[in-house]
Amino acid sequence: MNLILFGPPGAGKGTQAKILVDKFKIVQISTGDMLREEVNARTDLGKVAKLIMDSGDLVSDEIIMSMIEKRICKSDCEKGFILDGFPRTLKQAVDLGEILENLNKKINKVIEINVDEELLIERIIQRAKESNYNRGDDKTEILKNRIFVYRKDTLPVLKYYKEREILNTINGMQNIEKVTKDILELLKL
Ligand code: ADP
């Protein structure tokens, strides 16, 4: 089972992805986590990525696609994977389609975790307060930019999957357990 978890910053994608990983024994592929590993390891890529991430902008499609291409052909993806935080641009979605086609794989479902903007802002501010150290990108000043970028670059991805009839929307404004329950219900079908 290959899934995409889709939603704005602070929607709870990471939390739900981890629950699904445990339950279905599939792997989570988070481009945000992969980038943060590069930043912490102080690689050249990490140095470039840090500046961009700290401003709330998106890292280039080229960097992201080369990371994803390498990751997705690893053998631990055979049983299935959850993409978390990717694709974030239309170009990434289209390129992903090609990569998967070449590997004879496909995305079974895209799960959108839908959250009101007001609640999102509240959540991200809270997260920024709790841990400011590893998530320099959560500073409240750049919050607006992240949401702006989401609207401009990432929302078109939703339309792309809607047209392909694999988009499913879950109400993310419920407690964690209820969101999980709704996702599991959806995966039974
Ligand atoms: P969140 O879960 O809060 O939405 P992520 O951890 O997924 O954030 O991503 C943090 C930052 O890493 C993004 O703001 C962006 O700069 C960069 N990033 C992560 N994934 C991608 C992607 N698919 N394309 C471009 N940039 C990305």
Side-chain angles (χ1 to χ4, degrees), residues 9 13 31-32 35-36 53 57-59 64 85-86 88 92 127 135 137 146:
K13 297 185 295 283
T31 44
L35 289 169
R36 280 186 287 276
M53 291 165 80
D57 287 333
L58 294 181
V59 173
I64 298 291
F86 170 89
R88 246 178 167 94
Q92 291 178 12
R127 192 159 75 183
R135 301 284 307 236
D137 61 343
R146 300 188 73 199

Side-chain angles (χ1 to χ4, degrees), residues 159-177:
K159 185 163 163 267
Y160 174 87
Y161 288 120
K162 197 172 190 172
E163 284 165 4
R164 278 154 189 79
E165 296 178 348
I166 52 171
L167 179 68
N168 302 272
T169 301
I170 298 279
N171 175 7
M173 292 164 288
Q174 317 179 84
N175 63 37
I176 294 175
E177 292 74 24

Side-chain angles (χ1 to χ4, degrees), residues 2-9 13-14 17 27-36 58-73 77 81-100 103 106-107 109-113 146 150 153-158 160-161 166-167:
N2 303 325
L3 305 173
I4 293 177
L5 269 186
F6 190 96
K13 297 185 295 283
V27 294
Q28 174 189 10
I29 301 178
S30 158
T31 44
D33 286 350
M34 290 164 86
L35 289 169
R36 280 186 287 276
L58 294 181
V59 173
S60 76
D61 290 335
E62 289 69 26
I63 290 183
I64 298 291
M65 291 318 301
S66 83
M67 280 189 347
I68 281 287
E69 194 157 16
K70 278 186 219 138
R71 182 65 191 88
I72 236 165
C73 30
C77 291
F81 53 79
I82 303 178
L83 295 171
D84 161 16
F86 170 89
R88 246 178 167 94
T89 67
L90 200 53
K91 170 99 169 78
Q92 291 178 12
V94 173
D95 287 359
L96 172 68
E98 276 176 26
I99 292 173
L100 292 179
L103 292 170
K106 66 168 191 166
I107 298 295
K109 282 192 163 69
V110 177
I111 303 169
E112 178 202 4
I113 304 181
R146 300 188 73 199
Y150 175 76
D153 293 327
T154 308
L155 276 183
V157 175
L158 214 55
Y160 174 87
Y161 288 120
I166 52 171
L167 179 68

Side-chain angles (χ1 to χ4, degrees), residues 74-134:
K74 287 203 178 155
S75 59
D76 63 349
C77 291
E78 283 307 318
K79 274 170 88 182
F81 53 79
I82 303 178
L83 295 171
D84 161 16
F86 170 89
R88 246 178 167 94
T89 67
L90 200 53
K91 170 99 169 78
Q92 291 178 12
V94 173
D95 287 359
L96 172 68
E98 276 176 26
I99 292 173
L100 292 179
E101 204 176 309
N102 288 334
L103 292 170
N104 249 326
K105 293 179 195 271
K106 66 168 191 166
I107 298 295
N108 302 97
K109 282 192 163 69
V110 177
I111 303 169
E112 178 202 4
I113 304 181
N114 185 278
V115 180
D116 272 359
E117 228 161 81
E118 254 173 57
L119 184 65
L120 273 183
I121 293 172
E122 236 173 72
R123 280 188 188 175
I124 303 186
I125 290 176
Q126 191 56 36
R127 192 159 75 183
K129 278 187 200 148
E130 283 165 11
S131 84
N132 228 329
Y133 193 63
N134 289 320

